Amino acid sequence: MDASVKSDFYYILELGPGAQQSEIKEAYRRLALQRHPDKNPGDRRAVAAFQKLAEAYETLYDESRRRQYDAKRCSPHRQYGYSPQETRSKQERDDSATETARVAKREREWAAQSQARLDDIARLKEEMRAAEAAIAEINRKERQRVAQEKQGQGWFSFLTSPWAAKPVERGEEEKLKQQQELQQQRTSKSIKLERTKNQLMQAEREHRNITAMQRQTRESEARKREERLREERMKAQREQAAQWRESYEKKAKEEAAKAEEAARKRAEDLARRKAEEVMRNRREELQRQAAKEAREKEAWQEAANRRERESWQEVLERLARKEAEARVDQHNHSWEPHSPAPKAPKRNAGRNSSSQHRRPAHQTDSARSAPTACQHNKFWPKVAGVHECSVCSKVFKSFILQCPDCKKIACASCKRELRKSGF
């Protein structure tokens, strides 16, 4: 953009030429908050811009200073904003220079012609004054002659000075001749004076007519020049208004783009925050769910371990009990032939006496189960379905193993322990 437009006070305040004082004050307050040097610490041009803004406000807010500024701003020859060379083409500038030279030459010719006419008028006036002086001289001489004649012919002159020399008597012809000469001189001078007066009047009338015509020509040319300058001013104002409108539209588009970009960024930021919040909630939910599953798994594992420990403890106790029973049975078999045969209990004996001669329950069970003990050495086939291990009490959903002899079901680890123990 042109520097003259940027230095325009209306452009600095972002207003149009017809802005009111309230609008000027409001624009100044708004822009002063934006362009204050304290609000732009890193900008070295902030102080100059703020001073220019204050100058524009002081000039446009004062009505008299604003009128002076508008008059200077609208002048076609001002040093900023517009000059004829900025809007006219080279041909127009050449035509203007040719017209200026022609007008200057014509003015010189008119001045020379006017001076010549004025010289003629002055000469005619001088001739008229000379003719009038000559006529006055002739009249004076005539009056003097008449006075002398009257004085010489009077009684007072004759009585008072009889001894004075008598005037020379002239003849009638000489007097007539002298009168005719004076009359001819008077007539010629009068004719010359009248002719000079007519010439002077004609020269003055012609000078006035020519001067009036020249004045009308100058006024017409001045009106045309003023019209041309007005058109140039209007053209400059239209171009300047177009530049302002273009700058305002550009600035409005930039502000709209900035606002749109800011709105888009805010929307993206809001969407990002929402997504982050959703992801955070999801992670927290997954973490809570994972923690819950871990606790459940830990509890289930602890319960499973406890059940496994209890089952193994039960298995070990049962195996230890069976081993003890086997040792007792083995010991009983070792001393049975040397001992006397026990007496048959009486049928009518009491409860206490029969319990004294009764064999222990574990000896009877071991003796009863010894011939039927299974070693579990055969191949255990799979049994499909949901089953519970008879040893560790674990539930298996797919399959479990079953002994083909005793039909006992157990998992693979319990099967190995049963084969090792032989029970």
Side-chain angles (χ1 to χ4, degrees), residues 201-255:
M201 292 174 62
Q202 184 178 0
E204 289 178 348
R205 186 168 52 253
E206 183 180 359
H207 179 68
R208 286 195 300 270
N209 293 335
I210 293 174
T211 303
M213 183 184 65
Q214 291 175 355
R215 184 172 60 253
Q216 291 177 0
T217 304
R218 290 192 187 96
E219 291 176 355
S220 176
E221 291 180 353
R223 285 194 298 270
K224 291 180 180 179
R225 184 167 55 254
E226 183 65 25
E227 186 68 23
R228 185 174 65 254
L229 293 178
R230 188 181 299 109
E231 292 178 358
E232 292 175 358
R233 285 196 298 269
M234 295 296 295
K235 182 179 178 182
Q237 290 177 359
R238 287 193 297 270
E239 291 180 356
Q240 193 173 25
Q243 290 179 354
W244 283 345
R245 185 166 55 252
E246 183 180 357
S247 64
Y248 291 156
E249 290 177 356
K250 183 178 179 182
K251 188 171 183 180
K253 288 181 180 179
E254 291 177 356
E255 291 179 354

Coordinates of all heavy atoms in Angstrom, one line a residue, residues 201-255:
M201 N -11.4 57.7 -27.3 CA -12.6 57.0 -26.8 C -12.7 55.6 -27.5 O -13.0 54.6 -26.9 CB -13.9 57.8 -27.2 CG -14.0 59.1 -26.3 SD -15.4 60.1 -26.9 CE -16.8 59.0 -26.6
Q202 N -12.3 55.6 -28.8 CA -12.3 54.3 -29.5 C -11.3 53.4 -29.0 O -11.5 52.2 -28.8 CB -12.1 54.6 -31.0 CG -12.2 53.3 -31.8 CD -12.0 53.6 -33.3 OE1 -11.9 54.8 -33.7 NE2 -12.1 52.5 -34.1
A203 N -10.1 53.9 -28.7 CA -9.0 53.1 -28.1 C -9.3 52.6 -26.7 O -9.1 51.4 -26.4 CB -7.7 53.9 -28.1
E204 N -9.9 53.5 -25.9 CA -10.3 53.0 -24.6 C -11.5 52.0 -24.6 O -11.4 51.0 -23.9 CB -10.8 54.2 -23.7 CG -9.7 55.2 -23.3 CD -10.1 56.4 -22.6 OE1 -11.4 56.6 -22.6 OE2 -9.3 57.1 -22.0
R205 N -12.4 52.2 -25.6 CA -13.5 51.3 -25.7 C -13.0 49.9 -26.2 O -13.3 48.8 -25.7 CB -14.6 51.8 -26.7 CG -15.8 50.9 -26.8 CD -16.9 51.6 -27.5 NE -16.5 52.2 -28.8 CZ -16.4 53.5 -29.0 NH1 -16.6 54.4 -28.1 NH2 -16.0 54.0 -30.2
E206 N -12.1 50.0 -27.2 CA -11.4 48.8 -27.7 C -10.6 48.1 -26.6 O -10.7 46.9 -26.4 CB -10.5 49.1 -28.9 CG -9.9 47.9 -29.5 CD -9.0 48.2 -30.7 OE1 -8.9 49.5 -31.0 OE2 -8.4 47.3 -31.3
H207 N -9.9 48.9 -25.8 CA -9.1 48.3 -24.7 C -10.0 47.6 -23.7 O -9.7 46.5 -23.2 CB -8.3 49.4 -24.1 CG -7.4 48.9 -22.9 ND1 -6.4 48.0 -23.1 CD2 -7.5 49.1 -21.6 CE1 -5.8 47.7 -21.9 NE2 -6.5 48.4 -21.0
R208 N -11.1 48.3 -23.4 CA -12.1 47.7 -22.4 C -12.7 46.4 -23.0 O -12.8 45.5 -22.2 CB -13.2 48.7 -22.1 CG -12.7 49.9 -21.2 CD -13.9 50.6 -20.6 NE -14.7 51.2 -21.7 CZ -14.6 52.4 -22.1 NH1 -13.6 53.2 -21.7 NH2 -15.4 52.9 -23.1
N209 N -13.1 46.5 -24.2 CA -13.7 45.3 -24.8 C -12.7 44.1 -24.8 O -13.0 43.0 -24.5 CB -14.2 45.6 -26.2 CG -15.3 46.6 -26.2 OD1 -16.0 46.7 -25.2 ND2 -15.5 47.3 -27.3
I210 N -11.5 44.4 -25.3 CA -10.4 43.3 -25.3 C -10.1 42.8 -23.9 O -10.0 41.6 -23.7 CB -9.2 43.9 -26.0 CG1 -9.5 44.1 -27.5 CG2 -8.1 42.9 -25.9 CD1 -8.3 44.8 -28.3
T211 N -10.0 43.8 -22.9 CA -9.7 43.4 -21.6 C -10.9 42.5 -21.0 O -10.7 41.5 -20.3 CB -9.5 44.6 -20.7 OG1 -8.5 45.4 -21.2 CG2 -9.2 44.2 -19.3
A212 N -12.1 42.9 -21.3 CA -13.3 42.1 -20.9 C -13.3 40.7 -21.5 O -13.6 39.7 -20.8 CB -14.6 42.9 -21.2
M213 N -13.0 40.7 -22.8 CA -12.9 39.4 -23.5 C -11.8 38.5 -22.9 O -12.0 37.3 -22.7 CB -12.7 39.7 -25.0 CG -12.7 38.4 -25.8 SD -12.3 38.7 -27.6 CE -10.7 39.3 -27.4
Q214 N -10.7 39.2 -22.7 CA -9.6 38.4 -22.1 C -10.0 37.9 -20.7 O -9.6 36.8 -20.3 CB -8.3 39.2 -22.0 CG -7.7 39.5 -23.4 CD -6.5 40.5 -23.3 OE1 -6.2 41.0 -22.2 NE2 -5.9 40.7 -24.4
R215 N -10.6 38.8 -19.9 CA -11.1 38.4 -18.6 C -12.1 37.2 -18.6 O -12.0 36.3 -17.9 CB -11.7 39.6 -17.8 CG -12.0 39.3 -16.4 CD -12.4 40.5 -15.6 NE -13.6 41.2 -16.3 CZ -13.5 42.3 -16.9 NH1 -12.4 42.9 -17.1 NH2 -14.6 42.8 -17.5
Q216 N -13.0 37.3 -19.6 CA -13.9 36.2 -19.8 C -13.2 34.9 -20.2 O -13.6 33.8 -19.7 CB -15.0 36.6 -20.8 CG -15.9 37.7 -20.4 CD -16.9 38.1 -21.5 OE1 -16.8 37.5 -22.6 NE2 -17.8 39.0 -21.2
T217 N -12.2 35.1 -21.1 CA -11.5 33.9 -21.5 C -10.7 33.3 -20.3 O -10.7 32.1 -20.1 CB -10.5 34.3 -22.6 OG1 -11.2 34.9 -23.7 CG2 -9.7 33.0 -23.1
R218 N -10.1 34.1 -19.5 CA -9.4 33.6 -18.3 C -10.4 33.0 -17.3 O -10.1 31.9 -16.7 CB -8.7 34.8 -17.6 CG -7.5 35.3 -18.4 CD -6.6 36.3 -17.5 NE -5.6 36.9 -18.3 CZ -5.7 38.1 -18.8 NH1 -6.8 38.8 -18.6 NH2 -4.7 38.7 -19.4
E219 N -11.5 33.6 -17.1 CA -12.5 33.0 -16.2 C -13.0 31.7 -16.7 O -13.2 30.8 -15.9 CB -13.7 34.0 -16.0 CG -13.3 35.3 -15.2 CD -14.5 36.2 -15.1 OE1 -15.5 36.0 -15.7 OE2 -14.3 37.3 -14.4
S220 N -13.3 31.6 -18.0 CA -13.7 30.4 -18.6 C -12.6 29.3 -18.4 O -12.9 28.2 -18.0 CB -14.0 30.6 -20.1 OG -14.4 29.3 -20.6
E221 N -11.4 29.7 -18.7 CA -10.3 28.7 -18.5 C -10.2 28.3 -17.1 O -9.9 27.2 -16.7 CB -9.0 29.3 -19.1 CG -9.0 29.4 -20.7 CD -7.7 29.9 -21.2 OE1 -6.9 30.3 -20.3 OE2 -7.6 29.9 -22.4
A222 N -10.3 29.3 -16.2 CA -10.2 29.0 -14.8 C -11.3 28.1 -14.3 O -11.1 27.2 -13.5 CB -10.3 30.3 -14.0
R223 N -12.6 28.3 -14.8 CA -13.6 27.4 -14.5 C -13.4 26.0 -15.0 O -13.6 25.0 -14.3 CB -15.0 27.9 -15.1 CG -15.6 29.1 -14.3 CD -17.0 29.3 -14.7 NE -17.1 29.7 -16.1 CZ -17.0 30.9 -16.6 NH1 -16.9 31.9 -15.8 NH2 -17.2 31.1 -17.9
K224 N -12.9 25.9 -16.3 CA -12.5 24.6 -16.8 C -11.4 24.0 -16.0 O -11.4 22.7 -15.7 CB -12.1 24.8 -18.3 CG -13.2 25.2 -19.2 CD -12.7 25.3 -20.7 CE -13.8 25.7 -21.6 NZ -13.3 25.8 -23.0
R225 N -10.4 24.8 -15.6 CA -9.3 24.2 -14.9 C -9.8 23.8 -13.5 O -9.4 22.7 -13.0 CB -8.2 25.3 -14.7 CG -7.0 24.7 -14.0 CD -5.8 25.7 -14.2 NE -6.1 27.1 -13.7 CZ -6.3 28.1 -14.6 NH1 -6.3 27.9 -15.9 NH2 -6.6 29.3 -14.1
E226 N -10.7 24.6 -12.9 CA -11.2 24.2 -11.6 C -12.1 22.9 -11.7 O -12.0 22.1 -10.8 CB -12.1 25.4 -11.0 CG -12.6 25.1 -9.6 CD -11.6 25.0 -8.6 OE1 -10.5 25.5 -8.8 OE2 -11.8 24.3 -7.6
E227 N -12.8 22.8 -12.8 CA -13.6 21.6 -13.1 C -12.7 20.4 -13.2 O -13.0 19.3 -12.7 CB -14.5 21.8 -14.3 CG -15.5 20.7 -14.6 CD -16.5 20.6 -13.5 OE1 -16.8 21.6 -12.8 OE2 -17.1 19.5 -13.3
R228 N -11.6 20.6 -14.0 CA -10.7 19.5 -14.2 C -10.0 19.1 -12.8 O -9.9 17.9 -12.5 CB -9.6 19.9 -15.2 CG -8.7 18.8 -15.5 CD -7.7 19.2 -16.6 NE -6.8 20.2 -16.2 CZ -6.9 21.5 -16.6 NH1 -7.8 21.8 -17.5 NH2 -6.0 22.4 -16.2
L229 N -9.7 20.1 -12.1 CA -9.1 19.8 -10.7 C -10.1 19.2 -9.8 O -9.8 18.2 -9.1 CB -8.6 21.1 -10.1 CG -7.4 21.8 -10.8 CD1 -7.0 23.1 -10.1 CD2 -6.2 20.9 -10.8
R230 N -11.4 19.6 -9.9 CA -12.4 18.9 -9.1 C -12.6 17.5 -9.6 O -12.7 16.6 -8.7 CB -13.7 19.7 -9.3 CG -14.8 19.2 -8.3 CD -16.1 20.0 -8.5 NE -15.9 21.4 -8.2 CZ -16.0 22.4 -9.2 NH1 -16.1 22.0 -10.5 NH2 -15.8 23.6 -8.9
E231 N -12.6 17.3 -10.9 CA -12.7 15.9 -11.4 C -11.5 15.1 -10.9 O -11.6 13.9 -10.5 CB -12.8 15.9 -12.9 CG -14.1 16.5 -13.4 CD -14.1 16.5 -14.9 OE1 -13.1 16.1 -15.5 OE2 -15.1 16.9 -15.5
E232 N -10.3 15.7 -10.9 CA -9.1 15.0 -10.5 C -9.2 14.7 -9.0 O -8.8 13.6 -8.5 CB -7.9 15.8 -10.8 CG -7.5 15.9 -12.3 CD -6.3 16.8 -12.5 OE1 -5.8 17.4 -11.5 OE2 -5.9 16.9 -13.7
R233 N -9.7 15.7 -8.2 CA -9.9 15.4 -6.8 C -10.9 14.3 -6.5 O -10.7 13.4 -5.7 CB -10.4 16.7 -6.1 CG -9.3 17.7 -5.9 CD -9.7 18.8 -4.9 NE -10.9 19.5 -5.3 CZ -10.9 20.6 -6.0 NH1 -9.7 21.2 -6.3 NH2 -12.0 21.3 -6.3
M234 N -12.0 14.4 -7.3 CA -13.0 13.3 -7.1 C -12.5 12.0 -7.5 O -12.7 10.9 -6.9 CB -14.3 13.6 -8.0 CG -15.0 14.9 -7.6 SD -15.7 14.7 -5.9 CE -16.9 13.4 -6.2
K235 N -11.7 12.0 -8.6 CA -11.0 10.7 -9.0 C -10.1 10.2 -8.0 O -10.0 9.0 -7.6 CB -10.3 10.9 -10.3 CG -9.6 9.7 -10.9 CD -9.0 10.0 -12.2 CE -8.3 8.7 -12.8 NZ -7.6 9.0 -14.0
A236 N -9.3 11.2 -7.4 CA -8.3 10.8 -6.3 C -9.1 10.3 -5.1 O -8.7 9.3 -4.5 CB -7.5 12.0 -6.0
Q237 N -10.2 10.9 -4.8 CA -11.0 10.5 -3.6 C -11.6 9.1 -3.9 O -11.6 8.3 -3.0 CB -12.1 11.5 -3.3 CG -11.5 12.8 -2.7 CD -12.6 13.8 -2.5 OE1 -13.8 13.6 -2.8 NE2 -12.2 15.0 -2.0
R238 N -12.1 8.9 -5.1 CA -12.6 7.6 -5.4 C -11.5 6.5 -5.3 O -11.8 5.4 -4.8 CB -13.3 7.6 -6.8 CG -14.6 8.4 -6.9 CD -15.3 8.0 -8.2 NE -14.5 8.5 -9.4 CZ -14.6 9.7 -9.9 NH1 -15.5 10.6 -9.4 NH2 -13.9 10.0 -11.0
E239 N -10.4 6.8 -5.9 CA -9.3 5.9 -5.8 C -8.9 5.6 -4.4 O -8.6 4.5 -4.0 CB -8.1 6.4 -6.6 CG -8.3 6.3 -8.1 CD -7.1 6.8 -8.9 OE1 -6.1 7.3 -8.3 OE2 -7.2 6.8 -10.2
Q240 N -8.8 6.7 -3.6 CA -8.4 6.6 -2.2 C -9.5 5.8 -1.4 O -9.2 4.9 -0.6 CB -8.2 7.9 -1.6 CG -7.5 7.9 -0.2 CD -7.2 9.3 0.3 OE1 -7.9 10.2 -0.1 NE2 -6.2 9.4 1.1
A241 N -10.8 6.1 -1.7 CA -11.8 5.3 -1.1 C -11.8 3.8 -1.5 O -12.0 2.9 -0.7 CB -13.2 5.9 -1.5
A242 N -11.4 3.6 -2.8 CA -11.3 2.2 -3.2 C -10.1 1.5 -2.5 O -10.2 0.4 -2.1 CB -11.0 2.2 -4.7
Q243 N -9.0 2.3 -2.3 CA -7.9 1.7 -1.6 C -8.3 1.5 -0.1 O -7.9 0.4 0.4 CB -6.7 2.7 -1.6 CG -6.0 2.8 -3.0 CD -4.9 3.8 -3.0 OE1 -4.6 4.5 -2.0 NE2 -4.2 3.9 -4.1
W244 N -9.0 2.4 0.5 CA -9.4 2.2 1.9 C -10.4 1.0 1.9 O -10.2 0.2 2.8 CB -10.1 3.5 2.4 CG -9.2 4.6 2.8 CD1 -7.9 4.5 3.0 CD2 -9.6 5.9 2.9 NE1 -7.4 5.7 3.3 CE2 -8.4 6.6 3.3 CE3 -10.8 6.6 2.9 CZ2 -8.4 8.0 3.5 CZ3 -10.8 8.0 3.1 CH2 -9.6 8.7 3.5
R245 N -11.3 1.0 1.0 CA -12.2 -0.1 1.0 C -11.5 -1.5 0.8 O -11.8 -2.5 1.5 CB -13.3 0.1 -0.1 CG -14.4 -1.0 -0.1 CD -15.6 -0.5 -0.9 NE -15.1 -0.2 -2.3 CZ -15.1 1.0 -2.8 NH1 -15.4 2.0 -2.0 NH2 -14.7 1.2 -4.0
E246 N -10.6 -1.5 -0.1 CA -9.8 -2.7 -0.3 C -9.0 -3.1 0.9 O -8.9 -4.2 1.3 CB -8.8 -2.5 -1.5 CG -8.0 -3.7 -1.8 CD -7.1 -3.5 -3.0 OE1 -7.1 -2.3 -3.6 OE2 -6.3 -4.4 -3.4
S247 N -8.4 -2.0 1.6 CA -7.6 -2.3 2.8 C -8.5 -2.8 3.9 O -8.2 -3.7 4.6 CB -6.8 -1.1 3.2 OG -7.7 0.0 3.6
Y248 N -9.7 -2.1 4.0 CA -10.6 -2.6 5.1 C -11.1 -4.0 4.8 O -11.2 -4.8 5.7 CB -11.8 -1.6 5.1 CG -11.5 -0.2 5.7 CD1 -12.2 0.9 5.3 CD2 -10.3 0.0 6.5 CE1 -11.9 2.1 5.8 CE2 -10.0 1.2 7.0 CZ -10.8 2.3 6.6 OH -10.4 3.5 7.1
E249 N -11.5 -4.3 3.5 CA -11.9 -5.6 3.2 C -10.8 -6.6 3.5 O -11.1 -7.7 4.0 CB -12.4 -5.7 1.7 CG -13.7 -4.9 1.5 CD -14.0 -4.9 0.0 OE1 -13.2 -5.5 -0.8 OE2 -15.1 -4.4 -0.4
K250 N -9.6 -6.3 3.1 CA -8.5 -7.2 3.3 C -8.3 -7.4 4.8 O -8.1 -8.5 5.3 CB -7.2 -6.6 2.7 CG -6.0 -7.5 2.8 CD -4.8 -6.9 2.2 CE -3.6 -7.8 2.3 NZ -2.4 -7.2 1.7
K251 N -8.4 -6.3 5.6 CA -8.2 -6.4 7.0 C -9.4 -7.2 7.6 O -9.2 -8.1 8.5 CB -8.2 -5.0 7.7 CG -7.8 -5.1 9.1 CD -7.5 -3.7 9.6 CE -7.1 -3.7 11.1 NZ -6.8 -2.4 11.6
A252 N -10.6 -7.0 7.1 CA -11.8 -7.7 7.6 C -11.6 -9.2 7.3 O -11.9 -10.1 8.1 CB -13.0 -7.2 7.0
K253 N -11.1 -9.5 6.1 CA -10.9 -10.9 5.7 C -9.8 -11.5 6.6 O -10.0 -12.7 7.0 CB -10.5 -11.0 4.2 CG -11.6 -10.7 3.3 CD -11.2 -10.8 1.8 CE -12.3 -10.6 0.8 NZ -11.9 -10.7 -0.6
E254 N -8.8 -10.8 6.8 CA -7.7 -11.3 7.7 C -8.2 -11.5 9.1 O -7.9 -12.6 9.7 CB -6.5 -10.3 7.7 CG -5.8 -10.2 6.4 CD -4.6 -9.2 6.5 OE1 -4.5 -8.5 7.5 OE2 -3.9 -9.1 5.5
E255 N -9.0 -10.5 9.6 CA -9.6 -10.7 10.9 C -10.6 -11.9 11.0 O -10.6 -12.7 11.9 CB -10.3 -9.5 11.4 CG -9.3 -8.3 11.7 CD -10.1 -7.0 12.1 OE1 -11.3 -7.1 12.0 OE2 -9.4 -6.1 12.5

